[in-house]
Amino acid sequence: MAAPTPAPPSPRRTFLGRQSLPERNYLTDALRTETVGGVILLVAAVAALIWANTYGSSYTSVSHLHFGPEALGLHLSVAHWAADGLLAIFFFVAGVELKRELVAGELRDPKAAALPVVAALCGMAVPAVVYTLVTVLGNGSTSGWAVPTATDIAFALAVLAVIGTSLPSALRAFLLTLAVVDDLFAILIIAVFFTDTIDFVALIGAFVGLAVFYLLLRLNVRGWYVYVPLALVIWGLMYNSGVHATIAGVAMGLMLRCTRREGEERSPGERIEHLVRPLSAGFAVPLFALFSAGVSLSGGALAGVFTRPETLGVVLGLVLGKTIGIFGGTWLATRFTKAELNKELAWADVFAVASLAGIGFTVSLLIGELAFTGDDDMINEVKASVLLGSLIAAVLSGVLLKFRVRRYRALSDAEELDEDESGIPDVYEQDDPEYHLRMAAIHERKAAEHRRLAQLAGAASNKPDSPA
């Protein structure tokens, strides 16, 4: 009796492979906004540093200026409004991004999601371990362990815009997915570890508001004049409950429908995200940076970053921890999931993106404020270490990416090429028989044009000279 034929081995998954066309178009649109917002964020951070180090008294007085209804527990400083109010918009967009990734993006398929999730988790765990080791060995405070765990996608994209590196869409998608998972766990860290006391009446009120918000969405009720006032009430109740108010933004973002129904070009979540993302990237986050990044950068303060265990732990966590965690987690995940790297890319590209993820600006500043509440001097020094660590990560990743800039531009040009002018890049049409017919016709027209020009040139050269 013949032995049974063994089943053919399952094909290996391609890591950082080409995305579907709709996913690529969505990613391009989202990253374009984030890149512009990142440049504004960069300008805001520089403005904050200049303001704080030239007219420090006015910076402090404006940051501590209080306004808002005291009867509702919302008589807050300008800096407080920026951190708890405006960042709720940022986390709302993060919630929509996460929901979309879970139902229509990279995280939809558990097998495909394993790689970026493992990479992001390792990229948060290793910096926390690095910080803890440095502070334990240096007899410092371990309460800031979460500061170097965050990645700032907008700042990272601003760095790419400044150095002029055209990353292939697969690497940009990987960076965005890392940031989305990173934001999710940053939200959980804030909710679990930085909530001291809870007002259960206000918290129950916030949950009731969220239930009403969800019910209105399910009933297809439309109108910003319904949702914006309700969102403000939910935010106010969440703030007064003791849970960080940005959690309200995430919760509402996760409730939006991000799957497309028949006849829809965009889902409601994608449509609202498209409207709110510019507000988040171009206004909310830069204004938060303006009132959070203004730290004193005197020579003594910068030198102290490398002598205090807390600040040194933040710098090493961002620069070394993020790079080692993301790169190591990605490499291990590919080994255990039997995935193979896209043949057009190299592991050096993954290492460069991992180092780019060490830019932990926005959420790291927020967590630094929460971790050392009440200790203004430590908050100032930790902020300085976040800025310095992010700067080192930006320079390091910029150098690494520049080594491969020609390769990236070639890949990007190939992704954008639309020789048949159909409105769809050629790489997405190569399996379509009609595409090959169109290309053959185009090549024939070009050949005929070349022949006609050659004949005209030959006729001109054979024409006798006219008499003087």
Side-chain angles (χ1 to χ4, degrees):
M1 183 177 178
T5 304
S10 57
R12 300 183 69 182
R13 300 183 65 86
T14 300
F15 170 50
L16 297 179
R18 187 188 307 149
Q19 302 162 293
S20 67
L21 185 59
E23 187 69 14
R24 175 189 172 279
N25 292 339
Y26 167 81
L27 178 73
T28 300
D29 182 54
L31 293 183
R32 185 182 297 112
T33 303
E34 290 290 353
T35 300
V36 174
V39 173
I40 299 173
L41 174 63
L42 190 58
V43 172
V46 172
L49 290 172
I50 294 172
W51 187 6
N53 286 276
T54 52
Y55 301 98
S57 58
S58 67
Y59 181 84
T60 301
S61 61
V62 173
S63 297
H64 293 150
L65 178 66
H66 282 66
F67 67 95
E70 193 165 358
L72 299 177
L74 297 174
H75 189 66
L76 310 177
S77 68
V78 170
H80 211 156
W81 276 110
D84 287 87
L86 292 178
L87 276 196
I89 301 172
F90 165 79
F91 280 107
F92 171 79
V93 174
V96 180
E97 285 180 338
L98 177 61
K99 177 67 172 291
R100 189 192 171 282
E101 288 289 326
L102 288 169
V103 300
E106 290 289 315
L107 303 181
R108 180 181 72 255
D109 180 1
K111 291 182 179 179
L115 251 165
V117 169
V118 170
L121 286 175
C122 292
M124 299 187 78
V126 175
V129 170
V130 169
Y131 176 92
T132 303
L133 285 174
V134 172
T135 51
V136 167
L137 293 175
N139 295 319
S141 171
T142 59
S143 59
W145 61 271
V147 175
T149 59
T151 293
D152 193 315
I153 181 67
F155 220 128
L157 292 170
V159 171
L160 292 177
V162 169
I163 65 176
T165 300
S166 301
L167 274 187
S169 60
L171 286 174
R172 288 176 177 263
F174 181 57
L175 182 62
L176 179 61
T177 306
L178 280 177
V180 169
V181 178
D182 197 290
D183 286 342
L184 167 64
F185 286 99
I187 292 158
L188 293 176
I189 287 171
I190 291 170
V192 174
F193 294 99
F194 298 106
T195 299
D196 296 326
T197 58
I198 295 179
D199 182 333
F200 285 99
V201 174
L203 186 61
I204 291 171
F207 280 127
V208 170
L210 287 171
V212 173
F213 188 88
Y214 180 80
L215 182 62
L216 292 174
L217 288 173
R218 297 285 81 77
L219 293 174
N220 291 321
V221 175
R222 300 193 176 191
W224 64 268
Y225 46 82
V226 174
Y227 290 102
V228 171
L230 179 59
L232 291 174
V233 170
I234 295 169
W235 175 86
L237 288 169
M238 190 69 76
Y239 175 82
N240 282 291
S241 73
V243 177
H244 200 270
T246 54
I247 305 300
V250 177
M252 287 183 279
L254 286 170
M255 289 181 181
L256 296 179
R257 176 170 63 82
C258 293
T259 52
R260 300 177 188 178
R261 292 176 179 170
E262 187 176 353
E264 287 184 338
E265 291 186 6
R266 287 179 176 175
S267 65
E270 290 172 322
R271 189 170 60 252
I272 293 172
E273 181 194 11
H274 181 74
L275 294 173
V276 178
R277 186 187 287 276
L279 177 64
S280 169
F283 176 74
V285 175
L287 203 58
F288 165 75
L290 183 63
F291 291 105
S292 291
V295 298
S296 174
L297 295 179
S298 63
L302 288 176
V305 167
F306 296 100
T307 56
R308 293 197 63 158
E310 295 88 352
T311 51
L312 180 60
V314 170
V315 172
L316 293 179
L318 288 171
V319 177
L320 296 180
K322 273 288 184 183
T323 305
I324 295 170
I326 291 174
F327 180 79
T330 304
W331 186 82
L332 288 173
T334 56
R335 293 295 299 270
F336 285 106
T337 59
K338 296 182 179 180
E340 62 180 358
L341 184 65
N342 183 347
K343 290 181 174 56
E344 295 180 331
L345 298 171
W347 281 106
D349 302 316
V350 181
F351 188 85
V353 170
S355 65
L356 185 65
I359 300 172
F361 188 73
T362 305
V363 181
S364 290
L365 291 176
L366 175 62
I367 294 178
E369 292 180 357
L370 297 175
F372 297 100
T373 300
D375 189 345
D376 291 341
D377 290 337
M378 179 60 79
I379 289 175
N380 192 69
E381 292 180 12
V382 167
K383 285 183 176 181
S385 65
V386 169
L387 293 173
L388 188 58
S390 297
L391 177 62
I392 294 172
V395 172
L396 175 63
S397 59
V399 171
L400 293 174
L401 290 168
K402 274 295 186 181
F403 283 126
R404 298 272 290 170
V405 67
R406 290 185 179 179
R407 179 62 177 162
Y408 296 153
R409 284 176 181 165
L411 291 173
S412 295
D413 290 344
E415 289 178 358
E416 299 293 334
L417 183 65
D418 183 17
E419 198 172 358
D420 64 343
E421 300 180 352
S422 65
I424 299 174
D426 294 343
V427 291
Y428 291 94
E429 295 186 293
Q430 290 173 359
D431 294 332
D432 179 9
E434 292 186 2
Y435 163 77
H436 295 286
L437 293 175
R438 289 197 303 272
M439 291 305 299
I442 289 170
H443 291 153
E444 178 57 34
R445 285 200 303 271
K446 288 182 178 179
E449 182 65 18
H450 285 310
R451 289 195 297 270
R452 189 179 70 83
L453 291 174
Q455 289 172 355
L456 290 174
S461 63
N462 294 329
K463 185 176 181 181
D465 294 336
S466 58

